[in-house]
Structure formats: C-alpha cells, structure tokens
Amino acid sequence: MERKIKILIVEDDKYISNFIAVSLKKQDYEVLVADSGASGLFYFQSHHPDLMLLDLGLGDRDGLEIIEELRAFSDIPILVVSARGQEKEKIQALDLGANDYITKPFHMGELMARIRVAVRELERHPNTETDNVFSRDYLSVDYVKRKVLLDEEEIHLTPIEYRLLLLLIENQGKVLTHRYIVKKIWGYENSDDTKSLRVYMANLRRKIEKDTARPRFILTEVGVGYRFADE
Amino acid sequence: MSYEFLKKTGSSAVKTLVVFLLAVSCSLGMHLLGVGKESIIMVYLLGVLFTSVLTGSYKWGILHSFTSLMILNFLFTEPRFTFIIYSSNDIILLVFFLITAVVSGTVTSKLQKQIEISERNEATTKILYQTASGFLPVSGKKSIIHQGMIFIKEFAGFDSAVCLEEDATYCFEAPKNEHSYLSYPIESNQLRLGELRIFNENRQPDPQSELIVQAVATQLAIALDREHLYMEREEIRIAMEREHLRSTLLRSVAHDLRTPLTGLSGAANLLADNYETLSYEERQKLAMDMSEEIIWLTNLVENILNMTRISDAQLLLHKEEEVIDDIVSQALSHISRLLKDRPFTVHLPDEVVMVQADGKLLVQVLINLLENAIRHTDPNSSISLEVVKMDHTLKISVCDTGSGIDPNIKTKIFEKFVTLDRSISDGKRGIGLGLAICKAIVDAHGGTIVARDNEPAGTCMILTLPLEDQIWNEK
C-alpha cells in the first residue's frame, strides 16, 4: 500500500475547513487542519505535508507573507484560497510562487480537480522528459517533429504560438499569470503590456479549439491569466 | 506727480492767457467803436468767468481778475497808458470790478468742481452697480475670480491676482514678475477667504480706483461664499440620495436573501434530520436545489458588491484590452450549471476582436443577462448569445424565446429595484439589480444597452460597446 498524500489546510473559518477536510478524507487523503498562519507553519515543520491549501485572509498573518516565507526553503505545492474580486492578490500569490488558486465560493468538485492536478504534478516531476508526444482528446503535439495535430490533421502554428502552447502544456492545470507568460515567451521582466499576449492567445485558441466560446484546452482566468485544461 | 502738476498748470496758463488776450482785443475793438469803459468792463468780467470755468480753479480766476484790473487801468482810465488814476469814479469802478470778478470767479469754479465731483460719483456708482450685478450670473470659483479680475482691469486699470487660502494659498493668474502689489483681504463673516492682489507698479491708486478695488473684493467674497454654500448644499443632496439608495438596497437585499435562505435551511434541515428515510433521488434533488440556490446567492452578492462600487465612485474601471472570446467563455463557465440541457447557441466573430473593458465587470454583465434569460423563461425555450463586430462597435445580443418582458415594467427594466413590486417579487425573485448594474457598467464603458422583442417570441437584450479601430489578426 502506498503512502497517503498528506494535505495541510490553513483556514481560519471552521465550517470551510471542516467540509474541505471531510471531502478530502473521503478521497483518501490524509488531512491536517491549522486555523492560523502560525500553527500552519508549525504543522508544516512538524508533519511535512505534501500539499498546502492556504487561505489568504487569515486572522494572524498575511497569506502572501506565508507563501514568501515558505518559498525560501520549500517547493511544496501551495494552493491558494481567496475571496472573489481580489485579482491583484491572486496574481501576487502566483508570482510569489503559489501553484494555483481557487476562488471562494467554490465547488468541491473544482477544488478536488485542482488538488488532483497538484498531486499529479508531484508524481510526475521526477520523469518529465520521457514523453515525446503530448496528446489529449483531438489535440496532439509531437515535440520532436514540432508538429501540432488536430484530429490527425496537421495545423500550422507560428513559432510564438507554438512556444505558448508548449508553455501551457508544460504547466497544465496551473494558472499562468499574464506577466509570467510574457516573461517566459518574450523575456520582458516587468511588462504590463499584455495586449499582444491576449491576441496571440486568441489566435492560438482559434486554431486549436473547436468551440472558442467554450474552450476545451485553453481556459481564461479573466484579469489573471490562462490555464491549460488538465483533464 | 510733479510732471502731472506742471502739465496741468501749463494748460491752465495757456487757457487763461488765450481768454485774456481775447478779452483785451475785444475791448480794444469796442473802444474804437466808441463804447464806454463801463460796458467794456463787462467783457473782462466775462473773461474772468470763462477762465474760472475752463481751468476749474478759482486761483486762475483771481489772477485773471487782477491782470484785468491792471490792463483796464492801463488802457481805459484817464490818463491812458499809465497806471495812474485821476478820477475817483474810476477807482470805485475798478474796485467794484475786482470784487465782482473775484467773487463770481470763485463761485463759478466751485460750482464747476461740484459738477465734476458729482459726475465722477455717478460714474463710480454705475461701476459699483455693474460689479455687483456682474457677479450674479457667474458661477464656479474660477469664473468668479476671473470676472473679478476683469472688473479690476476694466474699471481701475490694474492687473491683479486672487489668492485663496482654502487650497493652500493657491493664486489664480500667476503674478507676472511683479514684486510690488497692494493686497486687499477677501473676507466674509469675519472669515478670511483669501486676498486680492493689485499690481500697482509703484503708483498709488486714486481714491476712486481704491473704492472700486475694495468693492470688487467685497463682491468676490460674497460670490465665493455663495458658491461655497451652493457646493455644500449639492453635497448634502448627493449624500442624501446615496443614503436613500443604500437603505433601499439594504431593504431589498434583506428581502431577497431571506427567500433563498429559507429554502436552503429547509432543504439542509430535511437532509440532516431525515437522511435515512429519504430516497437517494430525493436526497440528490435536495442537494441540487441547494447548490442552485447558492449559485444564485453568490451572484447576488457579486451584484451587490458591484452596486456599491457603482454608487460609491461612479464605478472604478480597471480597463484593459480584452479579447471578447475570453469574456464570453468566462461568463459561460459561470453559467453552465444553470444552463443544464437547455438549447443554447453561441456565435463569436471569426476575427480576434479586442475591447477596452474591465473584464470582470463585463463578464458580470453577460452573466446577469444570461441568468435573466434562464430564470425568466421556461426550461425548454432556447437561448442564444451572439457577438457581432460592426464598423465602430461591438454588438452583443442575448436572446431568448420566452414569453417576453411584462409590458408593465418594460419601460423601466433598467432602473434599480424594478421587480421590487410585491406582487411579482416573491414568485420570480430578483431585486432587479441585475439589469441596473448591467446598464451602469455598459454606460461606464461608453456603450448602450436596450431590450427588444425577439421574433417570433421572446426578448433580446442588445448591448453595444465602442471599438478601437484596429482588428488584431496574425497573418
């Protein structure tokens, strides 16, 4: 029997932490609950969880601070839970090194999906270089031949679109902030000009999505960034 | 000053001399015609009067009197061409001439002065009246101050500046390298509002201009005070309106929260108390209902938040270039749980269309429109969302094939709290904030939103957004 994945929930609202804990236990995860930033850090040190669910609005400490502190010495996947309408905070959290975020109020199914992504990420990490082909549904990408196929039919992507697609696939399931993508693709460090990124993304989506209104692969997080659908 | 004086003296001297010479030549002429000296004296008397009137000064009249006396003596009394008088008659005549000339000259010049003063007073009164009434139609601090400076330039001939103390002594019309100025306080109710600065170029303003400047300062104070009061009243009015809106909002929110909360607590209690006795389907149905109620509550909260943002500061937009596809897909992902199996179609433009918009708010608009379409039509009527790029606008229409909008509320569906009417609010809930928010958001983006009838049945909500002229498309 394999070791259970250990998840640390840092959340000061007991109702929320309770229902998350119950649903996670149902999914056969081991769950630790901390109700403040300080105890969260303490549990982290003493129990070495595999994954952390962090509420940004804690009573005693700023969640962003905790991320910064943890990132100084740990790569633990951090899933941020934040209230709606705080795009700035989400982006900050992601830029500080949080792996993903979920917005309150959320559906349990959505949270579970995000956790599965993070867990898979954990397991995949050691051997990322093995696959030469990515394929999902009707989309497949051949890394060696640099070919993108839709239903076995090759489509043409510009070099930038191709790199965008690779970046998204590489981080599938994760939200990539506009700034992060711009930095990765164009190399600008501090650009707030995300207009061309949006255009490239829209074009890329037109090429690989069958229904651009309800995209299968490239999901938009308005005001934050993009996410490549994980499943 | 001394130059002015010399000039004035010179001109008076010339005038006096001219009148004197005229009188002399006239009298010589009369003498040749054989007119007696008793009559000739009248000519000189007339000369003295003229001098007094023309110079406006009794000194010149007196001087003229004495000179006339001398010349009369010299020319017309026996023995002629000497300053000696033989006849005592002549002496008496000349003495009386002198007295008459001096008295009448003095009186005339005094009268003259009086007239002048009263004329000047009348002009000043006119100016004062003009300045007082000139401020009446002017409103706005800047234009009031501007008007004041115009008056000072026009009536007193000075450049000026007005410095108000309320905004950290900000001066209007920056001083033009003038170091010397006279300052007059602008005061109302013993409260110093600021000061009026007159750039006098080292010359002392005469009492007349000084009076005008002071009057303008007073009028400025009154006008500024009036403006201040007006602003205060306006602020109070706005605050009252906001307060009213807020309380209406609170009331309707409380009402609208109560209904779904009742449903939620009922379903939850049922589940908690009778879990075992309920069938699997029943439990699932209850849970689904709860989840649906919660989506509605969530959206309500979002709308209320947006509403407070809107009424707080005319909506703070965080505009960015957004691709319309992103907006639509985000809205759809929110609404998909409510849509379920309804017939639903989406049409997006083929090219990439960018709009300058606050993405989150625009998403909210679409969510509200779609949610309305879902909520107010029966479950098998179809809904469509269409985005069309026009010449300079982007047209987004959300159409349903439901029963259309109730004609009673048709004209005011975009107003706040329309469905608050008790007769309908319980059945079809909704505080009617949704469309009001849509309108506020669309307005803030410079767009329009209207409701049309759909053919053959149902409603279309059509919104347009202004587009920038470029279309972005990669070759």
Side-chain angles (χ1 to χ4, degrees), chain B residues 353-365:
Chain B
V353 182
M354 308 279 287
V355 280
Q356 269 278 352
D358 185 320
K360 248 176 63 79
L361 289 178
L362 208 50
V363 167
Q364 189 63 41
V365 170

Side-chain angles (χ1 to χ4, degrees), chain A residues 84-85 87 105 107 158 161 194-195 198-200 202-203 205-207 212-215 220-223 226, chain B residues 298 302 320-323 325-326 329-330 332 334 337 346 348-352 354 359-360 472-474:
Chain A
R84 244 178 131 167
E87 266 64 25
H107 289 290
T158 64
E161 284 167 357
T194 56
K195 184 171 168 179
R198 287 163 208 260
V199 176
Y200 276 108
N203 279 315
R205 194 183 265 163
R206 273 182 170 59
K207 287 179 184 174
T212 47
R214 274 170 286 190
T220 307
E221 306 280 328
V222 168
Y226 298 92
Chain B
T298 310
E302 189 70 4
E320 278 190 82
E321 297 276 348
E322 296 277 1
V323 178
D325 312 12
D326 292 349
S329 59
Q330 179 93 351
L332 290 185
H334 263 280
R337 291 173 75 89
V346 187
L348 287 177
D350 289 331
E351 68 240 288
V352 176
M354 308 279 287
K360 248 176 63 79
W472 285 74
N473 235 334
E474 214 189 349

Side-chain angles (χ1 to χ4, degrees), chain B residues 11 22 39-40 45 58 63 74 102 127 133 154 157 161 199 247 257 290 292 334 360 367 374 404 449 457 460 468:
Chain B
S11 97
L22 272 173
S39 307
I40 286 171
L45 204 56
Y58 64 94
L63 183 69
F74 187 71
V102 168
I127 289 172
S133 60
E154 193 177 328
F199 302 110
S247 62
L257 282 176
M290 287 168 72
E292 235 172 75
H334 263 280
K360 248 176 63 79
I367 290 177
I374 295 168
I449 181 165
C460 273
E468 288 188 7

